[in-house]
Amino acid sequence: MGAVSWVLRKALEWRLRQVERALAHPAATQERLLFRLLRRAADTEWGRAHGYAGIRSVRDYQRAVPICRYEEMAPIWHRAFDGARDVTWPGHIRYFTMSSGTTTETCKALPISREAIRANLRSGVTLMGRVQRQVPDGDVLGGKTLYFGGSPTLERRGQSFQGDASGIVTLHMPRLAQRYRLPSFEIASIPDWEEKVEAIARAYLRTPVRMIVGLPTWTFFLMRRLVELGREQIGPHVRTVADVWPSLRAFVHFGMSMDAFRAECQALVGRPIAFVDTYSSSEAGLTAIQADQADPGMVMEVDIGTFYEFVPLAELDSPQPTRLTLRDVETDRDYAVILTCCSGMWAYDVGDIVRFTSLRPPKLLFAGRTRLTLHRLGEHVLGAEIEMALARAGAATGATVREFTVHTLIPTAHEARGTHQWLVEFEGTPPPLDRFLAQIDANLLEKNLDYKIHRERDYLMRPPVLVALAPGTFYEWARRHGRLGGQRKTPRVALSQEMVDELCALSRDIAHAEPPSVALPAWTAGS
């Protein structure tokens, strides 16, 4: 073991011991963190206006600071572009991270302070430590980590800079850690994601990559390209990623559920690796990390830089919703996430829904977006239930789903019952669509009482319908709308009828076009 690896391994062990102490009393740890944040911001404009100096309890804080959303806070945060200081956080906010999310076409510019950058780096140490304990053969420091994220090149906006959250954090990584991280600054800065995939595949085809961190859809695109290049440059025996990167041991994923993609990824990799799920946001960085391959629940980061509150989902839009802390939450209930963090976000509605699977330590699952549900017919189907139903339908029918979105068909004068329209792009030959749809319907009937009530005897909702889109449809839609990239995901609930119409039109155009001269190979469990 080299000296540098020894130092880093000790750092991982020290951080995990620190985490375990914090998790021994998670609610108390969170409350101490809140009061540290309040003291730091007491002399800002926001802190003075909300009486931070006089706050003595969590309840005092909740009375003083109402739940806020981006539309209310953006004009206040964005004063930093004109050089304003000490507005919602001490000093000048030099960096803003751009977040498109999945519920809107409009990018959000969110503040990220130097303290938040340091908190993100500490969470990165936690992540590496947790992965270290889960990889099949041990050492995650035995090779390189490929972080398939956004560009570190930033755009000036007045007196500040804005860009991708991962890119901002990358610029502040210690040199010691940078020696283990790929890609190079030049490759990471490539703005076109197709070009970036090609550059990474060619530059690191023969590099001992130990771990990949990335969004599943783009990572699969990279993996396929690696195998194709491997066949060309290494030999025809290359069939899987393991034939190119035999030292690969872990895939850390974020931004979307892996349920619909896990079987495809396992077959594509070609050997057992650890799949480590994470829950993160542009606002708070890493919030929770999977710590056990046998348990999908993700352990919360409670001591970094963010204080969390949780609102029962049914109360989110009420004038005075109940605001719970880790002292009060229960398992198996859906909560909207409200965060207060060291970038000057106070009681901010991040727009996410989580469900706790454990309280000591606090473990959660991401359950969807508060504004990304199927609810127009009163059925209230969450994002996590959509992902689950589709994943189980794929497993039951042997189908591999490449991408999908769901749309609500509302009642009309000619059809009094609405339904869900699934637009699905399959890998390879589609399964029998009626059987696939029946599996989706059955899974939602089992998991969601509101859906079951609406679907009983087809009285309020007729059976769902499905449109199988041509391969490449979602990619072309994303390209045309500037949504290619590591932080930009296909909306699982269609943004509008216009989006649905455009997807269908693109699918027809692709289906009638000449086939491409070179196609990436399709990979299924039988490959």
Side-chain angles (χ1 to χ4, degrees):
M1 182 193 307
V4 174
S5 295
W6 184 88
V7 170
L8 289 176
R9 187 169 289 102
K10 290 297 181 183
L12 302 186
E13 294 170 359
W14 174 84
R15 173 58 192 152
L16 289 183
R17 288 195 297 270
Q18 188 181 47
V19 167
E20 288 163 2
R21 289 194 296 271
L23 289 171
H25 304 283
T29 299
Q30 277 276 281
E31 289 166 13
R32 286 194 297 271
L33 189 151
L34 172 64
F35 289 113
R36 287 201 301 272
L37 296 175
L38 291 170
R39 286 193 298 271
R40 284 281 286 125
D43 202 33
T44 62
E45 292 181 29
W46 181 272
R48 292 193 298 270
H50 291 83
Y52 279 11
I55 292 177
R56 296 291 180 267
S57 68
V58 172
R59 184 66 188 130
D60 286 348
Y61 174 68
Q62 292 171 337
R63 282 193 290 262
V65 182
I67 293 174
C68 305
R69 289 182 173 164
Y70 179 77
E71 295 77 13
E72 303 165 271
M73 296 305 299
I76 301 172
W77 293 331
H78 295 175
R79 289 169 54 197
F81 300 148
D82 298 321
R85 300 175 59 86
D86 305 324
V87 180
T88 64
W89 188 252
H92 174 248
I93 299 295
R94 182 174 174 80
Y95 300 103
F96 282 78
T97 175
M98 305 303 293
S99 172
S100 65
T102 53
T103 61
T104 175
E105 294 278 4
T106 304
C107 280
K108 298 182 289 185
L110 302 161
I112 178 167
S113 66
R114 293 187 181 276
E115 291 88 343
I117 292 170
R118 288 195 290 269
N120 270 276
L121 292 173
R122 287 178 65 202
S123 287
V125 179
T126 312
L127 173 63
M128 293 295 289
R130 293 216 180 278
V131 174
Q132 172 78 40
R133 292 183 176 181
Q134 296 178 73
V135 295
D137 302 344
D139 188 11
V140 296
L141 301 176
K144 301 287 188 179
T145 293
L146 174 65
Y147 193 103
F148 199 19
S151 171
T153 301
L154 306 182
E155 172 190 352
R156 178 175 284 278
R157 187 167 177 182
Q159 299 300 308
S160 301
F161 295 89
Q162 65 184 24
D164 184 89
S166 61
I168 294 171
V169 174
T170 297
L171 292 172
H172 294 81
M173 285 187 67
R175 290 186 178 180
L176 186 62
Q178 297 234 10
R179 66 186 295 173
Y180 289 90
R181 182 184 174 110
L182 300 174
S184 67
F185 182 89
E186 291 73 22
I187 293 178
S189 299
I190 296 174
D192 185 286
W193 277 77
E194 291 174 288
E195 292 181 18
K196 183 181 291 189
V197 167
E198 187 69 18
I200 290 174
R202 290 189 177 278
Y204 305 119
L205 183 64
R206 302 174 189 272
T207 301
V209 172
R210 196 77 165 182
M211 181 168 74
I212 303 176
V213 182
L215 192 72
T217 46
W218 276 105
T219 304
F220 296 162
F221 190 16
L222 171 64
M223 286 180 174
R224 293 188 183 105
R225 185 60 184 141
L226 278 169
V227 173
E228 188 178 65
L229 275 177
R231 285 177 176 173
E232 294 174 4
Q233 298 187 17
I234 298 175
H237 68 280
V238 173
R239 298 289 300 171
T240 67
V241 175
D243 295 325
V244 180
W245 287 342
S247 61
L248 183 66
R249 294 296 182 270
F251 176 21
V252 178
H253 46 91
F254 58 83
M256 60 193 299
S257 170
M258 270 288 290
D259 290 345
F261 305 97
R262 188 178 298 272
E264 179 189 6
C265 188
Q266 288 174 331
L268 182 55
V269 171
R271 59 154 294 156
I273 64 170
F275 291 90
V276 181
D277 200 3
T278 62
Y279 166 48
S280 61
S281 64
S282 299
E283 292 86 348
L286 267 174
T287 291
I289 305 165
Q290 185 178 2
D292 184 347
Q293 288 290 286
D295 183 356
M298 294 172 279
V299 182
M300 287 188 67
E301 288 272 80
V302 299
D303 65 335
I304 292 295
T306 303
F307 173 75
Y308 296 95
E309 297 174 81
F310 304 93
V311 172
L313 189 57
E315 297 185 35
L316 183 59
D317 292 324
S318 65
Q320 292 185 319
T322 303
R323 293 164 63 176
L324 308 175
T325 69
L326 286 181
R327 216 175 273 284
D328 315 303
V329 294
E330 301 173 1
T331 58
D332 300 320
R333 294 193 62 189
D334 293 321
Y335 295 105
V337 180
I338 310 299
L339 60 85
T340 289
C341 72
C342 57
S343 285
M345 299 185 187
W346 304 99
Y348 178 74
D349 176 7
V350 73
D352 288 348
I353 304 167
V354 297
R355 184 179 303 136
F356 284 90
T357 62
S358 166
L359 301 179
R360 298 293 293 267
K363 295 181 182 179
L364 54 78
L365 296 173
F366 176 74
R369 300 281 293 170
T370 56
R371 299 178 219 178
L372 190 62
T373 59
L374 291 167
H375 63 273
R376 298 181 68 189
L377 304 175
E379 69 277 40
H380 303 296
V381 178
L382 300 181
E385 293 168 332
I386 294 170
E387 298 267 6
M388 173 276 299
L390 186 116
R392 291 187 177 182
T397 61
T400 299
V401 173
R402 185 181 281 180
E403 278 289 3
F404 75 96
T405 193
V406 193
H407 180 59
T408 302
L409 296 177
I410 62 174
T412 68
H414 302 290
E415 175 53 74
R417 300 163 303 159
T419 190
H420 295 160
Q421 181 184 41
W422 293 74
L423 292 90
V424 183
E425 185 180 320
F426 293 98
E427 185 81 68
T429 304
L433 299 187
D434 54 350
R435 185 178 166 214
F436 188 83
L437 263 180
Q439 288 291 329
I440 289 177
D441 195 33
N443 282 305
L444 291 178
L445 286 168
E446 177 188 350
K447 292 295 182 180
N448 188 294
L449 180 60
D450 285 335
Y451 183 85
K452 182 179 180 180
I453 291 170
H454 281 70
R455 283 281 296 114
E456 278 183 335
R457 298 184 299 279
D458 298 341
Y459 182 68
L460 295 174
M461 285 179 65
R462 54 195 166 98
V465 296
L466 185 146
V467 178
L469 300 179
T473 299
F474 280 98
Y475 180 86
E476 180 61 21
W477 178 86
R479 188 188 66 79
R480 293 188 181 194
H481 289 269
R483 296 179 72 94
L484 297 180
Q487 297 294 328
R488 296 174 182 258
K489 304 171 282 291
T490 298
R492 293 311 184 208
V493 175
L495 299 172
S496 63
Q497 181 63 52
E498 289 73 22
M499 176 183 173
V500 172
D501 293 343
E502 184 179 1
L503 285 168
C504 292
L506 285 171
S507 178
R508 289 192 294 270
D509 291 344
I510 291 171
H512 290 93
E514 289 293 325
S517 57
V518 177
L520 293 176
W523 294 92
T524 63
S527 293

